[in-house]
């Protein structure tokens, strides 16, 4: 976020980076196409449920548990091994996200703590709070340098302040910054990727861009692939205007792909009703 300088609304300033306005407009058109589909007028709940399942599958895949969709759909026990627990955590977070929308704008740190508690499904001391100095982070798929606990706490407070203050930034920009900051900081001892992607979804839904939660960015992130995801994240962490803009564009493309997935579900449901 350093590219925003000391402006009164740093998130809005990021929206002025080269190419970001085009990404914002492209995302809006993709979302509008889904909401304009005739199936959405009659069976939006079914589309929301399917998007939640596919989004959880995509998020789990980026955290190392790349299961087929039908395996996620049929499985009932997610306690057997690390991959199973990762998929179970992703599903729990997807279900929990909708319950936290009203709290997010008033207390984002409380929401993040709750998300970590749900993901970890544990009552250990380090669960549900930012890590302390010296505590290890279990996030092997993100190899970026880990900020100190003191820096992490300070940046979390700054991020929370921006969210509470609101502003004129497009939803895509805010969602991408929340996602990028949480992955850069890895504030919890585990499950940071899953929490970051869920927080992105909360912003997209709570902002009104995708109120029915049918354009799961997690689907798009998984489709674009882990290598592209980590490369774009590296650009965000660099703090350069080009790097931050590339990360926002990457997140925008992920939302577009999530919208495309739900369009396909709409089409399938329409064919089945014909």
């Amino acid at each position: 976020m350093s590219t925003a300088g000391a402006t009164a609304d740093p998130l809005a300033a990021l929206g002025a980076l080269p190419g970001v306005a085009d990404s914002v407009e492209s995302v809006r058109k993709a979302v509008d196409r889904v909401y304009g589909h005739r199936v959405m007028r009659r069976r939006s709940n079914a589309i929301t449920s399917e998007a939640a399942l596919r989004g959880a599958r995509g998020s789990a895949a980026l955290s190392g548990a790349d299961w087929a969709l039908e395996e996620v759909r049929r499985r009932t026990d997610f306690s057997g091994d690390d991959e199973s627990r990762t998929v179970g955590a992703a599903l729990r977070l997807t279900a929990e996200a909708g319950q936290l929308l009203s709290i997010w704008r008033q207390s984002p740190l409380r929401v993040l703590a709750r998300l970590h508690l749900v993901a970890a499904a544990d009552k250990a001391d380090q669960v549900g709070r930012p890590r302390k100095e010296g505590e290890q982070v279990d996030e092997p798929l993100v190899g970026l340098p880990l900020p100190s606990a003191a820096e992490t706490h300070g940046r979390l407070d700054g991020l929370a302040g921006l969210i509470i203050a609101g502003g004129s930034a497009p939803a895509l920009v805010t969602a991408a910054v929340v996602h990028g900051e949480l992955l850069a900081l890895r504030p919890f001892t585990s499950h940071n990727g899953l929490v970051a992607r869920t927080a992105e979804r909360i912003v997209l839904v709570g902002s009104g861009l995708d109120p029915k939660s049918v354009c799961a960015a997690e689907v798009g992130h998984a489709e674009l692939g882990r290598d592209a995801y980590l490369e774009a994240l590296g650009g965000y962490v660099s703090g350069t205007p080009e790097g931050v803009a590339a990360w926002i564009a990457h997140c925008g493309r992920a939302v577009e792909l999530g919208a495309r997935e739900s369009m396909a579900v709409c089409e399938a449901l329409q064919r089945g009703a014909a």
Side-chain angles (χ1 to χ4, degrees):
M1 291 192 295
S2 60
T3 59
T7 61
D9 190 350
L11 292 179
L14 295 180
L17 291 173
V20 170
D22 291 339
S23 294
V24 169
E25 180 62 19
S26 185
V27 165
R28 168 55 68 187
K29 289 179 179 178
V31 173
D32 285 348
R33 281 194 292 272
V34 177
Y35 279 81
H37 198 286
R38 61 185 297 182
V39 169
M40 280 294 293
R41 294 193 290 272
R42 297 180 287 110
R43 301 188 62 183
S44 64
N45 287 343
I47 307 302
T48 296
S49 295
E50 188 64 20
L53 183 72
R54 294 177 185 224
R57 191 218 74 83
S59 191
L62 287 169
S63 286
D66 192 0
W67 288 13
L69 179 63
E70 291 310 312
E71 177 67 10
V72 179
R73 196 189 304 279
R74 75 164 190 84
R75 185 74 72 94
T76 57
D77 182 6
F78 297 96
S79 61
D81 53 31
D82 287 345
E83 284 197 6
S84 298
R85 287 189 286 272
T86 295
V87 175
L91 289 167
R92 290 193 301 274
L93 285 172
T94 299
E96 186 74 11
Q99 311 301 314
L100 299 172
L101 292 170
S102 62
I103 306 172
W104 174 255
R105 283 293 297 273
Q106 286 74 43
S107 185
L109 296 184
R110 178 181 165 195
V111 169
L112 293 174
R114 174 63 185 171
L115 291 176
H116 186 240
L117 187 67
V118 169
D122 194 349
K123 294 183 178 179
D125 172 66
Q126 66 269 31
V127 171
R129 61 158 176 79
R131 56 185 166 83
K132 298 176 182 177
E133 210 66 63
E135 289 182 330
Q136 300 300 306
V137 174
D138 181 14
E139 204 76 39
L141 300 179
V142 179
L144 295 167
L146 187 68
S148 69
E151 179 184 349
T152 296
H153 288 212
R155 285 172 62 177
L156 276 178
D157 286 342
L159 181 64
L162 290 174
I163 293 165
I164 293 168
S168 60
L172 171 63
V173 172
T174 303
V177 168
V178 167
H179 186 169
E181 278 292 286
L182 292 175
L183 273 181
L185 297 175
R186 280 147 288 160
F188 302 108
T189 56
S190 64
H191 300 92
N192 290 286
L194 294 175
V195 169
R197 291 184 287 275
T198 305
E200 179 185 47
R201 172 113 306 276
I202 288 173
V203 173
L204 294 170
V205 174
S207 67
L209 175 66
D210 179 21
K212 295 184 183 295
S213 193
V214 296
C215 302
E218 304 94 326
V219 169
H221 285 304
E223 185 172 337
L224 290 167
R226 188 183 302 153
D227 289 346
Y229 182 69
L230 294 177
E231 181 180 352
L233 176 64
Y236 176 83
V237 171
S238 76
T240 66
E242 296 80 9
V244 174
W247 169 250
I248 294 171
H250 185 88
C251 291
R253 183 60 180 148
V255 176
E256 291 179 54
L257 291 171
R260 187 183 71 178
E261 184 95 347
S262 284
M263 279 290 288
V265 174
C266 287
E267 292 293 327
L269 288 175
Q270 183 168 278
R271 288 193 299 271

